[in-house]
Amino acid sequence: MPERLEVQRAVAASAGEIFAVLSDPRGHVAIDSSGMLMAASGAIVAKLGDTFVVHMDREALNDYPLGHVYGYRLEPIEEGTLVTSYYDWSGAEQAWKDAAIFPVIPESALRATLGILARTVAPGKPRPQSSTRRPA
């Protein structure tokens, strides 16, 4: 059984525009499709090592702080950015993996969050057709 989900979406916005949402703790709450993210505190990430806190209603989804992580990769493409959202529970304790509670968040929720992100950073813009990287 895989211990990681990944979904991708091409978004008609620059990586910088998308990073502006993802580096702001309130941005995560605004684009969350799961309903688990309730509020955020802390400043916008400005440099390596900066942190912020996102307050979660874990009970809403029977989620526990079990060593799983969520993240994003941004890859420039010809018409915008290819955004990859991932959910990785490979770091969870084996006992929790054996309890068969993963994935807590389904792939459909990751996809929906990317849809909200696209609507937030590129309202009204069509989804890029190309997933080709820009030349370096």
Side-chain angles (χ1 to χ4, degrees), residues 57-81:
D57 177 6
R58 291 179 177 275
E59 187 178 332
L61 298 175
N62 291 324
D63 189 21
Y64 305 93
L66 302 173
H68 52 199
V69 296
Y70 302 89
Y72 297 90
R73 283 193 318 274
L74 307 178
E75 189 175 344
I77 58 173
E78 191 172 308
E79 301 172 28
T81 304

Side-chain angles (χ1 to χ4, degrees), residues 66-98:
L66 302 173
H68 52 199
V69 296
Y70 302 89
Y72 297 90
R73 283 193 318 274
L74 307 178
E75 189 175 344
I77 58 173
E78 191 172 308
E79 301 172 28
T81 304
L82 181 63
V83 182
T84 302
S85 174
Y86 65 86
Y87 169 36
D88 188 323
W89 59 94
S90 62
E93 292 183 27
Q94 190 60 45
W96 290 109
K97 292 177 189 178
D98 294 343

Side-chain angles (χ1 to χ4, degrees), residues 5 7 22 40 44 46 52 55 74 80 82 87 91 94 103 108 126-128:
L5 293 176
V7 298
L22 299 177
I44 293 173
F52 56 75
H55 306 280
L74 307 178
L82 181 63
Y87 169 36
Q94 190 60 45
S108 60
R127 186 186 302 193

Side-chain angles (χ1 to χ4, degrees), residues 30-52:
I31 66 169
D32 172 49
S33 72
S34 74
M36 186 168 53
L37 305 186
M38 305 306 291
S41 56
I44 293 173
V45 170
K47 64 183 183 325
L48 186 64
D50 283 356
T51 63
F52 56 75

